[in-house]
């Protein structure tokens, strides 16, 4: 899936390389992007908030997501097994100011039908503060109903439309 949006943070105006980047494909729930942008906007320093990966995992499990049995310290899945968030070794395409190889960063994706193409994906470079990823993840996992005009075809049977009058 091609990247549609990229967020970058620089802590110094003269820096040629972004301190961190986040990449999003089309289809990422806009509520999660809005909440991520709000979290960025309320931060005093874009490179602060490294509480650790547990902050992201707790944000998701507090909303009913399930820790992976084989990787409970790095991976969680929604109760319907259609979306996951995982701390993984990043592709070389995910840019970061830290040049060391083998860094880990957060990745999120939706795969409503096992084996089908992903509905959307998000990647956060290794230096993205965990607090920002937790804001995105918490919004992603929220059970509060959201407005949609149409549902993705691949999500049939997993989502429902509730009409308000």
């Amino acid at each position: 899936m091609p990247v549609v949006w990229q967020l970058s943070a620089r802590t110094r105006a003269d820096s040629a390389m972004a301190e961190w980047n986040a990449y999003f494909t089309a289809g990422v729930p806009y509520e999660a992007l809005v909440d991520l942008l709000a979290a960025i906007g309320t931060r005093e320093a874009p490179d602060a908030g490294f509480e650790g990966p547990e902050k992201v995992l707790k944000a998701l499990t507090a909303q009913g997501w399930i820790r992976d049995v084989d990787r409970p310290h790095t991976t969680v899945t929604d109760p319907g097994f259609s979306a996951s968030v995982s701390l993984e070794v990043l592709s070389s395409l995910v840019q970061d100011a830290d040049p060391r190889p083998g860094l880990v960063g957060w990745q999120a994706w939706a795969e409503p039908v096992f084996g089908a193409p992903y509905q959307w994906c998000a990647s956060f470079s290794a230096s993205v503060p965990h607090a920002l990823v937790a804001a995105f993840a918490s919004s992603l996992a929220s059970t509060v109903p959201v407005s949609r005009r149409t549902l993705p075809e691949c999500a049939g049977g997993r989502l429902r439309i509730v009409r308000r009058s």
Side-chain angles (χ1 to χ4, degrees):
M1 296 183 124
V3 171
V4 177
W5 300 290
Q6 177 182 350
L7 294 174
S8 298
R10 288 183 173 74
T11 54
R12 295 186 352 232
D14 63 341
S15 176
M17 174 68 121
E19 292 294 320
W20 57 260
N21 288 290
Y23 306 87
F24 308 93
T25 64
V28 171
Y30 63 84
E31 298 85 7
L33 290 173
V34 168
D35 289 343
L36 172 62
L37 292 172
I40 291 170
T42 60
R43 297 178 63 75
E44 291 184 23
D47 59 346
F50 288 93
E51 293 87 357
E54 192 62 30
K55 183 165 186 81
V56 176
L57 299 170
K58 284 183 179 178
L60 292 162
T61 56
Q63 305 242 21
W65 285 42
I66 305 160
R67 289 184 188 240
D68 185 282
V69 174
D70 296 324
R71 301 175 348 168
H73 302 292
T74 61
T75 306
V76 289
T77 303
D78 80 293
F81 299 102
S82 62
S84 296
V85 176
S86 183
L87 189 60
E88 301 282 343
V89 173
L90 296 169
S91 160
S92 62
L93 299 174
V94 177
Q95 298 292 307
D96 195 89
D98 189 336
R100 294 176 294 165
L103 294 174
V104 295
W106 291 100
Q107 297 185 61
W109 64 93
E111 183 185 22
V113 177
F114 183 73
Y118 291 156
Q119 186 177 352
W120 58 262
C121 300
S123 293
F124 298 86
S125 70
S127 297
V128 175
H130 295 294
L132 293 179
V133 179
F136 173 85
S138 181
S139 182
L140 184 64
S142 175
T143 58
V144 174
V146 295
S147 294
R148 294 288 188 266
R149 292 182 186 260
T150 60
L151 296 177
E153 287 182 29
C154 62
R158 293 187 172 270
L159 300 176
R160 64 184 176 149
I161 297 176
V162 177
R163 303 230 187 263
R164 292 189 184 168
S165 50

